Amino acid sequence: MRTAGFAAIALLLALSSTAFAASDDVFVEDAWSRASIGTNRPGVAYMTIRNAGETPVTLIGLTSSIAMRAEVHRTATNEQGVSSMEPAGDLTIAPGTILTLAPGGLHAMLMNLQAPINKGDRFKLTLKFAEGGEVTVEVVARGIAARGPRD
Ligand SMILES: [Cu+2]
């Protein structure tokens, strides 16, 4: 009984150290946002997420200090040319690949903004991974009509 308990603890420690290594392999680049229309409309953020590791990582959630709720959405355009968006769910990033959040596709939706996002603002966004660990990035707000991270 006692031996089994120690074995379980040893396994937990091994799992948590592996999990930390997983998020250490994730690099987020070019994180940017757009100035918001006050706080009545959601904010948005885009970035590239690179898995430089040798195992898949799965993005399962977002948090940000400026929004009550943040989640990854997918924009889709139907046959009639009407765009809509829906929660993208968990997103697995294969080893050596990049997940791109960009206008017209996947994006981080920042809902119930706590303050307007103004051009030049910087705020933190945290990405959570199924394998454990988190990556926090600084998002830079560009102008309201920006199309890319350097606009
Ligand atoms: Cu959205």
Side-chain angles (χ1 to χ4, degrees):
M1 201 59 188
R2 179 166 291 172
T3 313
F6 278 118
I9 290 167
L11 179 63
L12 279 177
L13 289 174
L15 285 175
S16 63
S17 63
T18 305
F20 257 88
S23 66
D24 284 350
D25 289 333
V26 175
F27 296 90
V28 179
E29 284 145 13
D30 291 334
W32 64 285
S33 176
R34 285 203 190 104
S36 69
I37 306 166
T39 56
N40 292 327
R41 302 284 302 141
V44 68
Y46 306 104
M47 67 207 73
T48 61
I49 307 167
R50 182 160 55 93
N51 178 5
E54 291 174 354
T55 56
V57 295
T58 303
L59 178 63
I60 56 169
L62 300 174
T63 57
S64 177
S65 56
I66 62 155
M68 294 278 279
R69 208 154 62 87
E71 59 188 31
V72 181
H73 283 180
R74 185 188 310 279
T75 302
T77 306
N78 69 12
E79 309 83 64
Q80 285 78 41
V82 179
S83 296
S84 61
M85 58 186 178
E86 58 185 17
D90 296 348
L91 294 163
T92 298
I93 310 170
T97 67
I98 291 172
L99 180 70
T100 303
L101 276 59
L106 293 169
H107 55 277
M109 188 103 284
L110 308 169
M111 290 162 283
N112 302 110
L113 290 177
Q114 300 302 287
I117 303 172
N118 297 303
K119 185 177 182 179
D121 283 357
R122 289 167 184 270
F123 60 88
K124 298 263 197 292
L125 183 71
T126 299
L127 293 74
K128 294 176 189 292
F129 294 91
E131 296 75 14
E134 300 179 347
V135 176
T136 297
V137 294
E138 189 174 68
V139 181
V140 182
R142 303 300 180 192
I144 203 158
R147 300 293 301 163
R150 276 165 278 276
D151 279 357

